Amino acid sequence: MSEQEHKVLKEQRNRRKRVQHIRIGIITVISVWMILSIVITCILCAKVVSLQKQINILTGDYDSSTAVSAKVNQSASDTADIKLTQNTSDKENLATAEDLHKVYLTFDDGPSDNTNAILDVLDDYNVKATFFVTGKEDEASKAAYKRIVDEGHTIAMHSYSHKYNDIYASKEAFQNDFERIQNLIYDTTGVECRYYRFPGGSSNKVSNTDMSEFISYLNDQGITYFDWNVSSGDATSHAFTADELVENVMSDVVKYKTSVVLLHDATAKTTTVQALPAMIEALQQSGAMLLPIDEDTTVIQHVSIQQ
């Protein structure tokens, strides 16, 4: 083999090696890109699920009645006996065939554009309910507070701002928000409100401050806080029809002697208004007593602290 032929052959071998290296490089890059894409997709999916839960919480009270878990720490109080109660398994409240069902319809987040429509339906059926209201100082909202009280319903507190990051920032922030909504209700209606519902419920997983601090504060003020053990589902992102909301309620109230039903009074909850007549009729036909929360109501709490 001549020197020239040897040189050509060597160049061909080197060229094949370079092509092979390029091919391996391309395959490696593609493989790494595919793996990274899968990992990023999984992370984004997890983020979407997490964000959706947060949206559900911020647009309504997250339905924790079926998954009660709270960040309550035993070290919060040396003498506190912290009791976690999952209402769906509360034996004392489970109904038998002979028991009379007491049902408390509760509406969170109002007043809203739907408040008067809800009150009209309740008036049509001569039913009294409970409204856990937020703080709004426009004239229409003040008129709604007064109408709730004047028509015999229970007005209760659901925080002033309903802004989780603000309310649960500290015990002082919670206290300031609480006093603001309590004073607004008193100044508007003359009612010294004694009932409260935590935004997200007492078992919410949003608060960065131990919920036992806020629970202890309410206990010290003589305030009774209520969660719920029946949810209509109108707080979730799923768009239930009016019939489905009724079915969600009716399928659970039969389980309990006392049912505190979570509903929402917000501008976007028109389906709740549409479902209300059929819901009331179904409850009345079942023989249930529909009542407003008062001092005789069996307290339904996801998390309680007993001193």
Side-chain angles (χ1 to χ4, degrees):
M1 179 181 296
S2 66
E3 184 177 347
Q4 182 65 29
E5 290 174 337
H6 181 74
K7 184 177 181 180
V8 170
L9 181 60
K10 185 177 180 180
E11 289 179 354
Q12 289 175 344
R13 288 174 179 172
N14 289 338
R15 188 180 301 113
R16 283 196 292 271
K17 287 181 180 180
R18 288 196 297 272
V19 171
Q20 183 66 20
H21 289 159
I22 293 172
R23 183 181 294 112
I24 292 173
I26 292 173
I27 293 173
T28 301
V29 170
I30 292 175
S31 298
V32 171
W33 179 81
M34 291 179 65
I35 292 171
L36 286 176
S37 297
I38 293 172
V39 171
I40 291 172
T41 300
C42 292
I43 293 173
L44 288 175
C45 288
K47 289 289 186 182
V48 168
V49 172
S50 177
L51 287 172
Q52 185 60 64
K53 288 183 179 180
Q54 295 299 316
I55 290 171
N56 287 343
I57 292 173
L58 293 174
T59 56
D61 289 328
Y62 179 58
D63 181 9
S64 55
S65 61
T66 59
V68 176
S69 82
K71 298 189 298 180
V72 178
N73 198 321
Q74 181 66 42
S75 63
S77 171
D78 293 335
T79 61
D81 175 20
I82 298 176
K83 177 185 177 184
L84 300 182
T85 302
Q86 187 166 356
N87 288 313
T88 51
S89 61
D90 187 352
K91 293 182 179 180
E92 293 182 1
N93 194 36
L94 294 178
T96 64
E98 294 77 22
D99 286 320
L100 175 66
H101 297 276
K102 295 181 179 180
V103 178
Y104 298 82
L105 300 180
T106 67
F107 297 88
D108 287 9
D109 300 347
S112 75
D113 294 339
N114 283 318
T115 304
N116 284 325
I118 292 171
L119 288 168
D120 288 344
V121 173
L122 294 172
D123 183 59
D124 288 342
Y125 289 91
N126 194 28
V127 168
K128 307 304 178 186
T130 303
F131 290 79
F132 287 94
V133 300
T134 58
K136 298 177 182 177
E137 302 198 30
D138 58 281
E139 291 306 313
S141 294
K142 289 183 177 180
Y145 295 143
K146 292 177 182 177
R147 184 179 174 189
I148 289 169
V149 172
D150 291 345
E151 295 188 4
H153 305 285
T154 297
I155 191 166
M157 297 169 283
H158 193 42
S159 80
Y160 186 91
S161 71
H162 205 276
K163 294 180 179 178
Y164 290 72
N165 289 340
D166 294 342
I167 298 166
Y168 297 136
S170 66
K171 183 176 179 179
E172 182 180 5
F174 182 86
Q175 178 179 342
N176 290 338
D177 184 275
F178 169 83
E179 291 177 350
R180 197 173 178 190
I181 184 62
Q182 189 180 51
N183 289 338
L184 174 61
I185 292 173
Y186 180 78
D187 292 341
T188 306
T189 68
V191 173
E192 187 174 345
C193 191
R194 310 305 299 171
Y195 306 111
Y196 190 91
R197 173 169 286 160
F198 290 102
S202 65
S203 60
N204 80 80
K205 294 186 284 186
V206 179
S207 174
N208 291 322
T209 304
D210 195 315
M211 287 298 294
S212 64
E213 292 193 26
F214 309 134
I215 293 172
S216 294
Y217 171 75
L218 292 183
N219 288 346
D220 291 343
Q221 303 304 308
I223 302 299
T224 303
Y225 62 96
F226 277 84
D227 289 305
W228 59 93
N229 57 354
V230 175
S231 175
S232 67
D234 68 352
T236 68
S237 59
H238 181 82
F240 286 110
T241 65
D243 289 342
E244 288 172 331
L245 294 180
V246 175
E247 177 59 28
N248 291 341
V249 171
M250 295 306 299
S251 63
D252 277 345
V253 295
V254 295
K255 302 175 184 177
Y256 308 116
K257 300 174 186 176
T258 296
S259 295
V260 177
V261 181
L262 178 65
L263 297 156
H264 286 82
D265 170 16
T267 300
K269 306 301 181 181
T270 54
T271 307
T272 303
V273 180
Q274 295 167 6
L276 193 54
M279 187 181 298
I280 291 173
E281 290 177 9
L283 288 167
Q284 290 178 333
Q285 289 172 7
S286 72
M289 291 180 62
L290 277 68
L291 302 165
I293 287 175
D294 61 20
E295 60 184 10
D296 296 322
T297 304
T298 299
V299 178
I300 301 297
Q301 296 173 341
H302 298 160
V303 176
S304 62
I305 296 180
Q306 299 174 346
Q307 299 291 345

